[in-house]
């Protein structure tokens, strides 16, 4: 690339304006106490050299462009959009911009975007996708920091921020145990998917700690409402007794709720249902609304961006970082409580909210649904 024209630097601007490099930097950034004549002279020199002035001109002095690239394989946006929103929350505070590139699971397209981003001199790159299964690194010996968000890298030296799916499942199973459910079935997604296997193993492990086990081996199938209905039909026809169903995602959970209701089983009085993803259009509009595990993808995106910023500033954090999941409690596991009778000590207007008792059982309040829709694809 020897024929590429050299970009003007703050030193070039300073030389043309007849000032020191420090004075030129202050003028370009709009900082410091300078005479207006000096500031005007520096700006005119920058204009002649095609150098940016103001906040965008910070990169001239620092060697940074205050831009970050994000490469995703998630065409549907259920994963990448909330991750992007979280990353922009964190990066926007530093007046940094994000270039979003859709690799579409095409290695050639992905490498084209990587080269394009590097040619634009981005300060760092976030890689995300729709599956948690580790992928090959996007490149070797790259000149900028890279953080993998939600999706992992097969190179343990890379920095990865992943949802703590196993920890989220533990919270969900502990909630079911806390409300007295001990005969738990598990309807999972496809067995070949990393998230499906991980969530199934986490449920079995948590029950084993209590001397319990699933009423039947994990029922692997698909991430669909249809599979949820079919799996409940299999459970009912087998005459296996169960008082709760942990579903691998919210689509399965909604299908399971429909099948139980059609069979005359009350949810949650007869069977409690726990979902995963907290995808609002599924969880909130299920009948009844689903208790679900939320991966906090927006928060995960913020965390990934903060870690990337630290790497850009010379403080990398290689290795795997787990971001906690939350349990969002709704009517599929808790029967709405009637107002408690007033006791002699109760005062008019005292707080008798039903959710207070739920929080006492689970350690969580009654959080609302997630801010953005998302669902796992394993």
């Amino acid at each position: 690339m020897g024929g590429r024209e050299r970009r003007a630097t703050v030193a070039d601007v300073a030389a043309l304006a007849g000032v020191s490099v420090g004075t030129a930097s202050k003028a370009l950034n709009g900082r410091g106490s300078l005479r207006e004549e000096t500031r005007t002279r520096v700006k005119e020199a920058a204009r002649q050299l095609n150098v940016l002035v103001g906040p965008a001109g910070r990169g001239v002095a620092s060697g940074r462009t205050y831009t970050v690239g994000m490469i995703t394989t998630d065409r549907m946006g259920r994963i990448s959009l909330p991750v992007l929103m979280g990353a922009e929350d964190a990066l926007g505070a530093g007046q940094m911009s994000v270039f979003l590139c859709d690799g579409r699971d095409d290695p050639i397209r992905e490498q084209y975007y990587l080269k394009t981003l590097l040619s634009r001199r981005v300060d760092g790159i976030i890689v995300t996708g729709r599956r948690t299964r580790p992928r090959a690194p996007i490149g070797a010996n790259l000149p900028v920091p890279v953080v993998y968000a939600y999706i992992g890298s097969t190179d343990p030296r890379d920095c990865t921020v992943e949802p703590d799916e196993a920890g989220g499942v533990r919270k969900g199973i502990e909630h079911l145990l806390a409300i007295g459910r001990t005969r738990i079935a598990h309807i999972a997604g496809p067995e070949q998917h990393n998230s499906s296997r991980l969530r199934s193993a986490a449920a079995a492990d948590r029950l084993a700690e209590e001397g319990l086990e699933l009423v039947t081996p994990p029922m692997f199938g698909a991430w669909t409402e249809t599979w949820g209905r079919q799996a409940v039909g299999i459970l009912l026809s087998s005459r296996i007794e169960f008082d709760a169903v942990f579903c691998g995602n919210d689509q399965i959970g909604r299908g399971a709720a429909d099948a139980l209701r059609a069979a005359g089983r009350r949810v949650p009085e007869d069977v409690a249902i726990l979902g995963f993803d907290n995808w609002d259009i599924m969880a909130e509009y299920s009948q009844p609304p689903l208790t679900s595990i939320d991966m906090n993808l927006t928060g995960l995106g913020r965390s990934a961006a903060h870690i990337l910023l630290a790497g850009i500033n010379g403080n990398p954090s290689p290795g795997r970082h787990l971001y906690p999941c939350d349990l969002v409690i709704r009517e599929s596991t808790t029967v709405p409580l009637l107002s408690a009778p007033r006791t002699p000590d109760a005062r008019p207007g005292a707080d008798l909210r039903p959710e207070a008792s739920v929080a006492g059982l689970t350690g969580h309040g009654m959080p609302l649904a997630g801010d953005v829709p998302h669902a796992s694809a394993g």
Side-chain angles (χ1 to χ4, degrees):
M1 302 298 178
R4 181 178 296 176
E5 183 179 353
R6 187 180 72 87
R7 298 190 183 191
T9 67
V10 66
D12 297 323
V13 175
L16 183 59
V19 299
S20 69
V21 173
T23 297
S25 179
K26 290 178 182 178
L28 289 173
N29 293 320
R31 298 172 180 169
S33 298
L34 300 175
R35 290 187 301 172
E36 190 58 34
E37 176 189 354
T38 302
R39 198 180 299 276
T40 300
R41 192 163 70 250
V42 171
K43 288 182 178 180
E44 176 58 24
R47 186 191 66 78
Q48 293 179 31
L49 295 172
N50 294 318
V51 171
L52 297 174
V53 178
R58 291 178 294 174
V60 177
S62 66
R64 291 171 53 178
T65 61
Y66 290 82
T67 57
V68 166
M70 176 179 284
I71 299 177
T72 179
T73 59
D74 175 30
R75 286 182 290 176
M76 296 298 292
R78 291 181 183 174
I79 302 299
S80 61
L81 288 183
V83 170
L84 173 63
M85 290 173 64
E88 285 190 321
D89 285 346
L91 297 171
Q95 296 182 318
M96 299 186 73
S97 301
V98 181
F99 295 132
L100 178 62
C101 304
D102 180 8
R104 303 185 188 179
D105 275 331
D106 181 349
I108 296 176
R109 179 185 292 266
E110 188 174 82
Q111 288 303 305
Y112 165 77
Y113 282 133
L114 175 62
K115 292 178 182 178
T116 300
L117 291 171
L118 293 176
S119 71
R120 288 176 175 266
R121 298 170 61 199
V122 294
D123 297 323
I125 296 174
I126 295 175
V127 180
T128 188
R130 66 180 183 273
R131 297 180 181 177
T132 56
R133 183 179 60 201
R135 51 155 293 164
I138 196 168
N141 301 317
L142 296 179
V144 297
V146 177
V147 173
Y148 295 81
Y150 186 80
I151 197 170
S153 169
T154 54
D155 188 339
R157 297 170 297 179
D158 286 334
C159 176
T160 297
V161 184
E162 303 174 18
D164 185 6
E165 296 179 88
V169 170
R170 290 180 66 88
K171 290 179 181 179
I173 297 299
E174 286 165 4
H175 171 60
L176 293 178
L177 294 173
I179 60 174
R181 308 306 169 102
T182 57
R183 298 187 300 277
I184 301 172
H186 177 40
I187 305 174
E191 188 171 9
Q192 70 269 24
H193 282 250
N194 181 63
S195 286
S196 186
R197 296 193 304 272
L198 188 155
R199 296 170 191 178
S200 297
D205 290 346
R206 182 63 187 90
L207 287 173
E209 292 175 10
E210 303 295 329
L212 301 171
E213 59 184 18
L214 296 168
V215 296
T216 185
M219 304 174 68
F220 291 103
W223 300 115
T224 63
E225 293 179 60
T226 298
W227 168 235
R229 290 191 292 269
Q230 292 173 342
V232 165
I234 294 171
L235 285 170
L236 293 175
S237 64
S238 66
R239 301 187 181 279
I240 294 174
E241 291 189 9
F242 60 100
D243 57 17
V245 181
F246 165 42
C247 298
N249 73 354
D250 294 335
Q251 290 98 311
I252 296 173
R254 191 156 86 166
D258 290 345
L260 287 166
R261 187 171 61 252
R265 298 290 185 96
R266 299 171 302 167
V267 178
E269 292 89 344
D270 299 326
V271 180
I273 298 180
L274 170 67
F276 199 109
D277 286 334
N278 194 35
W279 186 20
D280 54 1
I281 64 173
M282 285 289 167
E284 290 185 0
Y285 295 98
S286 175
Q287 295 296 325
L290 292 175
T291 291
S292 187
I293 299 158
D294 191 328
M295 289 187 287
N296 288 323
L297 293 180
T298 301
L300 186 150
R302 281 194 295 269
S303 178
H306 284 304
I307 291 175
L308 182 65
L309 285 173
I312 292 171
N313 290 323
N315 299 300
S317 299
R320 187 168 176 241
H321 304 262
L322 292 178
Y323 195 82
C325 297
D326 284 337
L327 178 66
V328 181
I329 300 173
R330 298 190 183 90
E331 289 91 329
S332 70
T333 60
T334 59
V335 180
L337 302 180
L338 299 176
S339 296
R342 183 175 299 171
T343 65
D345 294 331
R347 302 182 308 278
D351 186 1
L352 297 176
R353 294 172 298 169
E355 58 263 35
S357 63
V358 175
L361 284 174
T362 66
H364 298 277
M366 292 284 286
L368 299 177
D371 295 330
V372 291
H374 55 267
S376 60

